[in-house]
Amino acid sequence: MSPTIQRMLLFISLILIFIGQVTAFEDHVQGQVIVLIKENNLGDGAIESALQEKSLTQFSVKRLYAEELKTQEDMHKKRLLLLTYEKDIDAYAEAQALMQYPLVDYAEPNYIGEIQTIPNDPYWQSQWAPQKINLDDAYNLTIGSPEVVIAILDSGVDQDHQDLAQNLLPGYDFVNEDANPEDDNGHGTRMAGIAAAVMNNSLGVAGTCPSCKILPVKAGRSDGSFTIYDSYQALEYAANMHNIEGIPENPNPADVISMSFRFNNPSTSLENGVADAASTGAILLAGAGNDNTDAMKYPAAYEQVIAVAATDQNDARISISNYGIWVDIAAPGISIYTTTLNNGYTTSAGTSAATAMTAGLVGLMRSRNPSLDKDQAQQILQETASPVTGFPAIGGGRIEAYQAVFHTNTQPIFFPINDVTVTELTPVSIVAQGMDPDDQLTFTINDTRFQKIILPAQGDIQQAKFLWFTNYQSAGIYAFTITASDGTTIKTQEVRVTVIDKPFVPPRRIMAAAMPE
């Protein structure tokens, strides 16, 4: 008998859920390398001298803090250094040379990314997208909470815009290194308006989450370019990580982070920033890109990020939107009416606009359930989405605001439970949890009408979740069998869910006083 039989445990719990073309840029900034120094007690002078010994040529060092760190008994935090060389270098070879120093966590070129947008449609025909995703019905459940912070990592935000100022929090500018994240491109202001413009103020537009707060974090330049160096700092600041020397304090850590930019290549810095931000519980979203390709773009392709594609008024992929099995969800992304510089209004398009709208929807969901995590949010978005066309491949359909918000508020039922009775319109989340120190578990959840395979979970205590919407089922008794396998041993457990009839009452249409003006 396999020894894992004695170790593998399987538990099942039930959770009831109650109700402009951009400029073409070089791959990286010429003559620059980013270096992340591990935590240590050495001073800057000792560190930089050691780096110079490993380097192939002379460089100057830019630090994120003004006062030079000295050697001390206690550890310094990690240090992010930007090395600028006196002459042209092979940045890739230089990074490899610097990696030979034991205190270097990693070194890489300072990659360049770009804003994901296309030229704006100069005429606004109608604000069609909120109606398409049934946002007005979602407002009957919540218009968002001022306790929920949506970070807009972009070109900054117009600090004085009449339709944004009420929702703006203090932010930071990592391009000019000051506390004034003013928008000198316009893209960030457009995204902020889509996500969280103020509602019922007799002005302009309403954002998707009109009562959520906006944290403006400027990492994009006036020409639409982004560097890894600035983007990494922006992520660390948005999440208020406190683990890099010199990055300012952020008193309003983000609950949701919207990123409407893309890099063609993966980056260790960017991946670390994404992982750090996700570790705080923030839900990260990024545009899939506007290249009409299935090639992965970053940060959207990272596992901790919800990747968003763009659709039109007919739920078809817009021609430029990227696609692929790595893309998680789609949202309206053409002729999206929003705010722009100098108290203006315009339309925006592309996966940027789709991302900002989805970030606003996640803000509504987080307002209704503050403990909502990324995996739960992504599953709800996908399970409640409407079908789309024109995508050779995609992980989910087009977002449905009312359904997503409706299915967000959760109340746990503690296990062990053998049977449970629910009414129709009360979705059930089945959670299978196992423990096998030696092997990965694969979970299978099935009932008499369907089967769903859950991919292997990670870690010693492994968990897989399946959201089952009872409003799609007839009244009756459903027996779920949950199976956990480590490839050799199989454990099973069954739970029965009784669904009883409940008449459907259509959601009340929102009163005029609560509608966007």
Side-chain angles (χ1 to χ4, degrees):
M1 179 178 295
S2 169
T4 58
I5 293 178
Q6 306 302 322
R7 291 193 295 270
M8 189 166 64
L9 304 175
L10 176 63
F11 306 99
I12 302 169
S13 65
L14 292 178
I15 298 175
L16 289 188
I17 303 182
F18 303 105
I19 328 267
Q21 291 183 341
V22 299
T23 306
F25 300 107
E26 297 290 337
D27 175 68
H28 62 275
V29 179
Q30 296 298 311
Q32 287 189 350
V33 173
I34 299 172
V35 179
L36 185 68
I37 302 298
K38 300 174 184 177
E39 292 184 359
N40 66 87
N41 66 344
L42 296 181
D44 289 329
I47 295 288
E48 291 163 19
S49 295
L51 290 177
Q52 191 66 74
E53 291 179 4
K54 300 293 183 184
S55 175
L56 306 177
T57 188
Q58 292 293 119
F59 58 75
S60 60
V61 179
K62 181 178 181 179
R63 312 186 195 106
L64 299 180
Y65 43 91
E67 186 173 345
E68 181 177 343
L69 299 179
K70 305 295 184 180
T71 299
Q72 60 182 35
E73 292 184 5
D74 297 332
M75 289 288 191
H76 294 298
K77 296 178 183 178
K78 295 179 181 179
R79 281 167 269 186
L80 184 68
L81 306 179
L82 181 62
L83 311 186
T84 301
Y85 291 80
E86 298 176 357
K87 59 182 181 181
D88 290 339
I89 59 164
D90 181 336
Y92 299 95
E94 181 66 20
Q96 289 298 314
L98 294 170
M99 286 285 290
Q100 304 309 308
Y101 183 42
L103 289 182
V104 170
D105 192 324
Y106 65 82
E108 64 180 352
N110 190 15
Y111 294 110
I112 301 175
E114 56 193 81
I115 284 173
Q116 300 180 139
T117 188
I118 60 174
N120 291 322
D121 182 347
Y123 305 103
W124 175 50
Q125 298 176 354
S126 63
Q127 195 171 353
W128 64 274
Q131 286 72 40
K132 186 71 175 179
I133 66 172
N134 293 313
L135 187 58
D136 51 350
D137 288 338
Y139 287 158
N140 283 316
L141 302 175
T142 181
I143 58 172
S145 166
E147 299 300 315
V148 173
V149 176
I150 301 177
I152 304 295
L153 270 62
D154 212 294
S155 60
V157 175
D158 185 341
Q159 301 293 288
D160 301 314
H161 198 290
Q162 58 189 355
D163 229 356
L164 299 174
Q166 178 179 320
N167 283 346
L168 281 178
L169 296 169
Y172 200 81
D173 178 350
F174 287 97
V175 175
N176 300 300
E177 300 177 357
D178 59 43
N180 182 28
E182 192 62 59
D183 190 356
D184 52 8
N185 175 279
H187 191 268
T189 300
R190 296 195 291 275
M191 298 309 106
I194 294 170
V198 178
M199 188 171 75
N200 289 336
N201 60 352
S202 301
L203 297 170
V205 297
T208 310
C209 190
S211 290
C212 289
K213 293 300 184 181
I214 301 167
L215 177 68
V217 187
K218 181 176 173 64
R221 300 164 188 266
S222 60
D223 63 359
S225 67
F226 286 70
T227 68
I228 287 291
Y229 181 71
D230 295 333
S231 301
Y232 176 42
Q233 294 178 69
L235 279 162
E236 296 286 328
Y237 171 82
N240 200 32
M241 286 300 299
H242 298 294
N243 64 349
I244 303 293
E245 292 281 0
I247 291 183
E249 177 84 10
N250 172 20
N252 301 292
D255 299 286
V256 181
I257 299 177
S258 178
M259 300 174 286
S260 293
F261 56 88
R262 65 114 169 102
F263 293 85
N264 289 326
N265 300 309
S267 154
T268 304
S269 295
L270 190 63
E271 186 172 10
N272 282 357
V274 163
D276 285 348
S279 72
T280 68
I283 300 175
L284 286 71
L285 305 94
N290 301 324
D291 311 289
N292 187 26
T293 179
D294 63 354
M296 290 184 176
K297 305 295 178 180
Y298 301 89
Y302 290 125
E303 182 181 354
Q304 303 96 326
V305 178
I306 298 175
V308 185
T311 53
D312 64 14
Q313 293 89 334
N314 298 312
D315 286 336
R317 180 176 72 94
I318 68 172
S319 61
I320 61 170
S321 176
N322 291 348
Y323 53 89
I325 58 174
W326 59 276
V327 179
D328 301 306
I329 199 70
I334 191 78
S335 298
I336 308 301
Y337 198 53
T338 184
T339 50
T340 191
L341 300 178
N342 301 315
N343 278 328
Y345 298 91
T346 187
T347 56
S348 189
T351 60
S352 288
T355 299
M357 185 171 295
T358 308
L361 175 53
V362 173
L364 291 176
M365 296 164 68
R366 200 75 184 263
S367 298
R368 191 161 161 83
N369 178 10
S371 65
L372 186 75
D373 64 28
K374 179 263 181 185
D375 289 340
Q376 293 168 337
Q378 181 175 317
Q379 185 179 11
I380 291 171
L381 290 173
Q382 291 176 332
E383 294 283 356
T384 59
S386 292
V388 293
T389 61
F391 285 92
I394 189 173
R398 187 262 301 152
I399 59 172
E400 273 283 349
Y402 174 75
Q403 289 293 331
V405 174
F406 177 88
H407 290 106
T408 295
N409 199 21
T410 62
Q411 177 73 34
I413 293 179
F414 298 101
F415 62 87
I417 287 179
N418 293 322
D419 302 289
V420 65
T421 299
V422 298
T423 60
E424 289 181 317
L425 305 180
T426 306
V428 175
S429 180
I430 300 172
V431 181
Q433 181 172 290
M435 182 171 61
D436 188 336
D438 298 329
D439 300 292
Q440 289 296 309
L441 300 180
T442 300
F443 295 96
T444 304
I445 299 177
N446 69 338
D447 78 346
T448 57
R449 303 192 185 190
F450 64 85
Q451 177 171 299
K452 185 173 181 72
I453 304 295
I454 309 297
L455 294 177
Q458 300 296 318
D460 289 347
I461 298 178
Q462 300 161 43
Q463 190 178 82
K465 301 177 184 180
F466 172 55
L467 190 62
W468 184 56
F469 292 121
T470 58
N471 53 320
Y472 298 153
Q473 307 297 331
S474 302
I477 299 175
Y478 295 82
F480 288 87
T481 301
I482 292 83
T483 302
S485 172
D486 64 359
T488 302
T489 305
I490 295 176
K491 291 279 189 178
T492 62
Q493 187 170 335
E494 183 177 284
V495 64
R496 288 178 294 175
V497 178
T498 300
V499 179
I500 60 177
D501 286 318
K502 179 179 181 181
F504 175 68
V505 179
R508 177 179 58 83
R509 301 293 292 185
I510 200 160
M511 300 299 290
M515 288 293 290
E517 298 176 2

